[in-house]
Each structure stands twice: as C-alpha cells, then as structure tokens.
Amino acid sequence: MTIAVNGTIVSLPDDPRVSLLDLLREHLHLPGTKKGCNQGACGACTVLADGERILSCLALAVQYEGRAITTVEGLATDEGLHPLQAAFIEHDGFQCGYCTPGQICSAIGMADELRRGVPSHVTRDLAAPVIALTHDELRERMSGNLCRCGAHNGIVEAIAETFAELVP
Ligand code: FES
Ligand code: FES
C-alpha cells in the first residue's frame, strides 16, 4: 500500500495505528507539519489531501492509501514560494512559526472550499456557486487554526491579500 506525499510515492507503514502526522514527521522526516495538541483542537497539523484540508493527527495513515498528500514542504516550486507563504512574510503572519504550516495549508484548502461553494456556519446564501471571503467567513473558516503568539492580524491580512479575487 502506498501514499503520495508532495508528489513522491511512499510505502505506508506496516503498523495500521500510525497517524498520518506521525508518518509525515517520524517516518518521512518532514517536520514542517507540526504536532500541537495531537487531538484535533489546534490545527497545527493541517495538511491537504487531494486539495482538501484535514487534521493529520486525527487521521490514520492507512486511511489515505492511494491519496495525494501535500504538506507545507510541497507548496513552493522552483519559481519560488507559494504566494501565501510570501504573503505571510510580507504581513508578519507569524512569530514563533509553530502554527504557520497549518495556517497556510488550511487557508489554501479554505479558498478552494469557497470556490466550490461549500458553506460554513456563517454563510448567508447557501445556494451561491462561489462564496465570498468576507470578514466573518475568513474568521469562521480559520477558527480551527489557533495561533498562541497572537499573530492573527497578520495571518488574516496575508490570506485576504493572497485570495483577493474572493474578497467582496
Ligand atoms: S495537532 Fe492536530 S489539531 Fe492539534
Ligand atoms: S506564530 Fe506562534 S503559534 Fe502562531
């Protein structure tokens, strides 16, 4: 059984109890994805599975057999950083940086949810094909990613600038 991580096919561990987070950090030595609470409460472990954001601490690696996982290490290209990574630097969207990989992966997944019209708790028009990235939508949809340093203002600015085409 295999899984694709940042475009590389790797074997899944024999032990089915290994979480996706531990596979990334301990087995594949990709420390970008952070282990905060390890129980689904902080968002530090957020990665993308076929473009959808998931909490890797709550996922067993074997559940994602055959899927394509993207971590923060997989976002930059030969041309440079992902635009959201660059915006985090520009807007001081981090202090210690512990939450940053999760914030960035989560925001990329969030933007895709908006483009696909996936509603949130604060969405007013549930039938809209594309949902605008309003003040309330951004804060609601990123509420699962906590920043203990209080860099939220810079994080919000970086996300709003990067996905400006979704901002009303
Ligand atoms: S480490 Fe996964 S949500 Fe906190
Ligand atoms: S920058 Fe330190 S936890 Fe967010």
Side-chain angles (χ1 to χ4, degrees), residues 30-93:
L30 292 170
T33 307
K34 297 296 185 277
K35 182 181 282 188
C37 64
N38 205 29
Q39 57 181 12
C42 73
C45 66
T46 307
V47 298
L48 298 167
D50 294 317
E52 291 189 32
R53 52 183 174 168
I54 62 166
L55 297 174
S56 61
C57 72
L58 295 185
L60 294 173
V62 292
Q63 287 179 277
Y64 288 85
E65 190 259 330
R67 306 280 298 274
I69 304 299
T70 303
T71 71
V72 73
E73 290 97 338
L75 295 178
T77 66
D78 290 344
E79 279 73 56
L81 294 175
H82 185 285
L84 185 55
Q85 291 176 303
F88 263 66
I89 296 171
E90 177 69 24
H91 291 276
D92 282 334

Side-chain angles (χ1 to χ4, degrees), residues 93-100 103 146-151 155:
F94 53 87
Q95 185 174 321
C96 77
Y98 204 82
C99 72
T100 312
Q103 300 276 5
L146 308 181
C147 177
R148 75 197 77 189
C149 293
I155 291 168

Side-chain angles (χ1 to χ4, degrees), residues 119-164:
S120 77
H121 179 62
V122 300
T123 303
R124 295 184 185 280
D125 181 3
L126 299 181
V130 174
I131 296 169
L133 184 56
T134 62
H135 176 279
D136 288 350
E137 287 282 4
L138 198 162
R139 283 158 180 76
E140 166 64 19
R141 288 173 187 267
M142 292 301 295
S143 62
N145 290 84
L146 308 181
C147 177
R148 75 197 77 189
C149 293
H152 285 291
N153 287 343
I155 291 168
V156 166
E157 288 173 11
I159 294 171
E161 179 184 272
T162 303
F163 302 110

